[in-house]
Amino acid sequence: MGVNKNDIQDKGAYYLVQGDMVFDKNKEYSSPTDSNLSKGVSSKASILKQRRTAFSVTINNINIFLNPGMNTNWLNASRSAIARWNAVNSNLNLTEVFSAASAHIQIMYDTQDPNQALAANVFGAALPPTLNGLPGTITWINPDFSFPIICGQAITQNNRIANVQHELGHNLGLHHTNAIGEPLIPNTPSTDPGSLMNGGQACTISDFSNNDERAIQFLFPIPIPVLTPSSMTLNTQQPGGLFTVTGTGPVTVTLSGGAGIFLHDGIGGSFLTTLNLTAPTTFSAYGPSIGSPGYNGGISYVTLSNPTSGIISSSTVYHSN
C-alpha cells in the first residue's frame, strides 16, 4: 500500500491503517503503483499533496444510511457533512436513505457493529473503495473518543461534522493528504496544511480546503455538455429579415459578401458582421433600401457555426426592399 508498516495495525478480521482507514482481509485491494492508476498520476512522490485511494468510485449518486441509534448531535452532524459534500461543485450527489438495504454507505457508532471496536484515541474509521467501483460501505464513529483529554477542549458540533466529512472522504476515494506513497491528485499543491483530509488531526480539521474541493472535482468531474448542432432559418429575404436559430449551446453568426447589410442581435449590437450567440435565439440582417446610401445591389451570405460541428448552416440575403 505504500505506507509505513508501523502505521498498520492487525485487528484480526481487518487492518487499521494510519488510525482510521479499515482494510477488510476478505476484500481485494491493490498496491498503488503507477500501473494501477487510470489517470496516469505518479504514486512515487513523497511530498504532501491531496491523495486518492488505489481504486476510484465510479458511480455519482450514492445513498447513505444513518444508524438511527446515534444521538441527535451525531445524526445532525452526519447530515451536515453530507450537505457539505453536496455543496462542492462536482458530479457527486449524496442522498440520505432510511433503509440500510438501499444504502451504499452506512454511518454508525463503532459500538453498533459487533465486529468493530475503536480505541479511545481514534475518532472514527472508514472502509475505502474496492475493485467494484462502489464506495467503501461503512463509516464508524467513536462516540467515546476522549476529545477533552486528547484535544484539550470540549467537542463542538463542527468537530463532529468535520470528522464525519473526513471519514466519508475515505469511503469516496480520498486518502490522507499528509500520507506518503498513495496516488497523487493533479491540480493540487505540494502542501496543504488546511486540508480536511490530513490524517491525525481530528482535533483541528474544520472543513474542505480549496484544494480538497479540487481533488473532489477531479474524482467526480462534471461532464462536459454535448452541444446539439443548431440550424438556422431565414424568415424573409427582405432587409431586416429575422433569422431563427434552433438547438442549444454557443453559436457564431458570420456575414460575408456584398457590403451594405449588417447583423443585429436584438439587444443593442448593430452594424456588426459577426455575432456570438447562445442558441436557441434570433437575430436579424438588415440594410439600406434601393437608392439609399450604402446600397450596392449585392448579395450577402450569413453563416452559422458552433464549436463542435463547425459550419452547420448558411443562407443568402439579397439587397432589396
Side-chain angles (χ1 to χ4, degrees):
M1 286 181 56
V3 298
N4 190 300
K5 66 180 181 180
N6 294 326
D7 291 332
I8 303 173
Q9 301 176 50
D10 190 335
K11 295 293 187 178
Y14 63 90
Y15 296 105
L16 184 64
V17 178
Q18 294 181 343
D20 70 339
M21 289 178 290
V22 174
F23 291 83
D24 192 318
K25 292 182 179 179
N26 294 318
K27 293 185 179 180
E28 186 173 356
Y29 304 88
S30 77
S31 173
T33 58
D34 289 350
S35 62
N36 293 322
L37 304 184
S38 61
K39 309 290 186 181
V41 183
S42 172
S43 63
K44 296 179 180 178
S46 60
I47 57 176
L48 185 68
K49 193 176 180 75
Q50 268 74 8
R51 296 177 182 269
R52 55 182 284 265
T53 55
F55 288 106
S56 295
V57 175
T58 58
I59 63 173
N60 299 310
N61 296 309
I62 295 172
N63 295 336
I64 300 181
F65 174 74
L66 310 183
N67 191 297
M70 295 191 295
N71 68 29
T72 300
N73 284 336
W74 281 109
L75 288 171
N76 288 340
S78 298
R79 292 184 178 111
S80 295
I82 290 170
R84 289 183 181 182
W85 272 91
N86 285 336
V88 176
N89 186 28
S90 75
N91 197 35
L92 180 67
N93 180 50
L94 306 183
T95 302
E96 182 184 354
V97 295
F98 299 93
S99 166
S102 62
H104 298 100
I105 300 172
Q106 296 186 53
I107 300 177
M108 65 179 71
Y109 292 156
D110 63 322
T111 53
Q112 293 167 332
D113 184 342
N115 298 314
Q116 182 62 277
L118 299 179
N121 64 345
V122 176
F123 203 122
L127 289 170
T130 55
L131 281 169
N132 59 9
L134 296 177
T137 56
I138 303 176
T139 277
W140 294 279
I141 297 299
N142 182 1
D144 301 316
F145 179 74
S146 305
F147 205 92
I149 296 174
I150 295 173
C151 302
Q153 63 184 44
I155 189 171
T156 68
Q157 189 66 358
N158 192 63
N159 295 138
R160 296 185 181 94
I161 296 168
N163 278 276
V164 175
Q165 277 178 266
H166 176 103
E167 299 307 335
L168 284 173
H170 294 320
N171 292 147
L172 297 168
L174 289 174
H175 206 283
H176 287 148
T177 300
N178 54 353
I180 294 175
E182 294 302 321
L184 303 174
I185 294 178
N187 301 320
T188 60
S190 59
T191 60
D192 187 7
S195 172
L196 181 85
M197 293 308 299
N198 283 329
Q201 298 184 13
C203 300
T204 57
I205 57 174
S206 179
D207 200 351
F208 293 127
S209 68
N210 290 337
N211 299 309
D212 291 333
E213 294 192 1
R214 291 190 187 99
I216 295 167
Q217 290 163 349
F218 175 81
L219 294 180
F220 301 96
I222 295 176
I224 297 173
V226 178
L227 299 177
T228 302
S230 303
S231 64
M232 180 176 64
T233 303
L234 174 62
N235 298 336
T236 174
Q237 289 283 17
Q238 300 298 321
L242 181 68
F243 287 82
T244 299
V245 180
T246 63
T248 59
V251 293
T252 298
V253 178
T254 305
L255 184 70
S256 62
I261 283 186
F262 299 97
L263 302 175
H264 193 285
D265 59 8
I267 299 175
S270 59
F271 299 103
L272 302 172
T273 57
T274 300
L275 293 176
N276 293 305
L277 306 170
T278 300
T281 188
T282 60
F283 67 93
S284 59
Y286 68 100
S289 301
I290 295 175
S292 299
Y295 174 75
N296 64 8
I299 298 175
S300 292
Y301 305 94
V302 178
T303 302
L304 181 75
S305 60
N306 72 23
T308 57
S309 304
I311 295 175
I312 56 176
S313 185
S314 62
S315 182
T316 303
V317 182
Y318 297 94
H319 293 222
S320 64
N321 60 359

